[in-house]
Amino acid sequence: MSTTTHSSNTGQKLQAIITNLRKKSAQYSERVASEEEADYECATCKDRGIIVYRVHKDTPWELDEKKKHLVPEAMVPEDDFLSGKVCTPDKAREWKDTYSKQCECVRQKKIARLMKASGITEEFEKLVFGNFKTEGKPDMIKEAYDCAIEYFKDFENIHRKRSNSIALLGQPGSGKTHLSTAIMNNLIKKKSIHCLYFPYVEGMGNLKTDFDQLETKLDAMRKVEVLFIDDLFKPAKGQPRATEWQIEQIQSVVNYRYLNHLPLLISSELTTDELLNIDEALGSRIHQMCRDYTVIIKGDRMKLNHRLGD
């Protein structure tokens, strides 16, 4: 075969490839135009959950230490490549490498599911560290705030250890629920951790009323990644709400979480000694779990109870 004939055949093949790529590009453009008319929840990934990128053959890849895989230093959206915005058809082969990652909408949807399952109300969702007031407050309030912040920062390192929980105890109205809820909101929204809110008074009432679902609800409390028990044994007329049945249910939850190193967030008007007086086995487990992150707020109620001070 002559050199001229060989060159001619090569040129024809290249032209065929270019023609085919142009045809695919035109078809893709038509599809994109059609898709743009569709109503997507996420315009970025078009509800696919994955974003695909094209990477040029000469692009360096580097190791992402956190994700433990290689990531290209530069990339372009697959949609832009297929629509001809990145290169001419004859350069398409140089962009055959691909890289894909999960769309941010997947994380946002998971967070929405976790928030819905947490039992947190819309009002409680607004309770964050940023709107907790410490200015002009007694040192105990600042200490509780600092402890809550420290606990959240330490969470990833401690959550499987024995002391993996936090207890904010004492004065009503001092912000214990606010700070514990702020921890919970941050764990859900920043770390995608499944948390469950259990308001002691209402929760125990619901457990007793819906007795058929008692074991199912207790099992959820035992096994959720993080459980927040708010106002544990909240006193009524000066006496802790701690009947034998109530202690038994709380004990079954705490024992399971204690043995399986599952974190608790505890708020209570009772001190550690008062929890021990109700049931020493239960109180000592809570103390051991919260040993490194416990603040007891006691003093002048007019200064410590923000509802009275404001």
Side-chain angles (χ1 to χ4, degrees):
M1 181 183 293
S2 68
T3 303
T4 302
T5 303
H6 178 74
S7 297
S8 176
N9 289 340
T10 301
Q12 290 174 357
K13 290 179 180 178
L14 180 59
Q15 187 59 44
I17 292 172
I18 292 173
T19 301
N20 187 43
L21 283 171
R22 284 175 176 165
K23 182 180 179 181
K24 287 183 176 180
S25 178
Q27 291 173 342
Y28 175 78
S29 296
E30 291 176 4
R31 180 166 62 83
V32 168
S34 175
E35 287 181 345
E36 286 176 349
E37 296 175 2
D39 185 19
Y40 293 107
E41 287 185 24
C42 178
T44 303
C45 69
K46 296 183 174 60
D47 296 344
R48 293 188 290 255
I50 294 290
I51 304 174
V52 180
Y53 297 90
R54 287 290 178 132
V55 183
H56 191 269
K57 64 181 182 63
D58 296 330
T59 300
W61 293 62
E62 57 185 15
L63 179 65
D64 185 317
E65 293 292 344
K66 189 174 182 180
K67 298 179 180 178
K68 302 301 181 185
H69 64 237
L70 293 173
V71 178
E73 289 185 2
M75 48 190 158
V76 297
E78 170 94 332
D79 289 357
D80 287 354
F81 170 77
L82 292 176
S83 63
K85 295 178 182 179
V86 175
C87 65
T88 55
D90 58 305
K91 300 290 186 181
R93 288 179 178 272
E94 298 178 8
W95 294 84
K96 65 179 181 179
D97 292 335
T98 61
Y99 174 79
S100 61
K101 66 178 182 179
Q102 191 178 76
C103 183
E104 174 64 14
C105 73
V106 175
R107 190 180 75 87
Q108 293 297 332
K109 288 176 183 176
K110 181 180 180 182
I111 289 172
R113 290 195 300 270
L114 289 174
M115 288 301 300
K116 185 176 180 180
S118 71
I120 293 179
T121 63
E122 288 186 16
E123 193 65 28
F124 269 34
E125 193 176 347
K126 299 173 185 175
L127 299 178
V128 295
F129 293 127
N131 55 25
F132 184 84
K133 297 179 181 179
T134 59
E135 187 176 351
K137 299 291 183 180
D139 289 343
M140 285 183 187
I141 302 300
K142 296 176 182 177
E143 183 183 348
Y145 173 81
D146 290 341
C147 182
I149 291 283
E150 183 181 2
Y151 177 79
F152 174 69
K153 289 180 177 178
D154 293 346
F155 185 82
E156 288 187 5
N157 295 324
I158 66 167
H159 75 283
R160 297 304 297 166
K161 295 181 179 179
R162 168 58 62 222
S163 181
N164 60 5
S165 304
I166 182 170
L168 301 179
L169 310 174
Q171 179 63 50
S174 57
K176 303 185 302 296
T177 295
H178 185 143
L179 290 172
S180 300
T181 305
I183 294 171
M184 190 169 168
N185 280 325
N186 275 276
L187 289 175
I188 294 173
K189 294 180 179 180
K190 294 183 179 179
K191 300 184 184 296
S192 298
I193 290 174
H194 187 190
C195 303
L196 182 63
Y197 174 67
F198 182 77
Y200 178 77
V201 176
E202 297 89 339
M204 294 307 292
N206 290 337
L207 288 179
K208 205 158 191 177
T209 301
D210 193 7
F211 200 78
D212 290 342
Q213 292 296 313
L214 174 64
E215 194 56 35
T216 299
K217 291 180 178 180
L218 288 175
D219 200 49
M221 293 170 64
R222 294 183 190 112
K223 296 178 180 178
V224 68
E225 286 182 85
V226 175
L227 175 66
F228 172 22
I229 303 178
D230 190 19
D231 268 333
L232 177 63
F233 300 133
K234 181 177 176 63
K237 297 181 180 179
Q239 296 300 315
R241 287 183 173 93
T243 65
E244 185 176 340
W245 184 84
Q246 289 171 325
I247 295 171
E248 182 182 338
Q249 309 318 312
I250 292 297
Q251 199 163 39
S252 74
V253 170
V254 172
N255 282 350
Y256 183 93
R257 300 188 70 81
Y258 175 87
L259 293 172
N260 290 278
H261 290 216
L262 293 169
L264 281 168
L265 313 179
I266 299 284
S267 82
S268 178
E269 294 177 17
L270 307 180
T271 64
T272 302
D273 284 342
E274 289 168 331
L275 290 174
L276 289 168
N277 289 338
I278 288 173
D279 187 281
E280 189 165 335
L282 173 61
S284 61
R285 280 173 169 76
I286 292 174
H287 171 69
Q288 193 173 6
M289 292 175 74
C290 304
R291 183 192 305 271
D292 296 336
Y293 304 91
T294 295
V295 178
I296 299 175
I297 304 170
K298 284 291 184 182
D300 186 344
R301 69 173 65 175
M302 298 304 295
K303 294 180 180 179
L304 294 173
N305 188 332
H306 68 85
R307 291 189 287 268
L308 298 175
D310 292 342

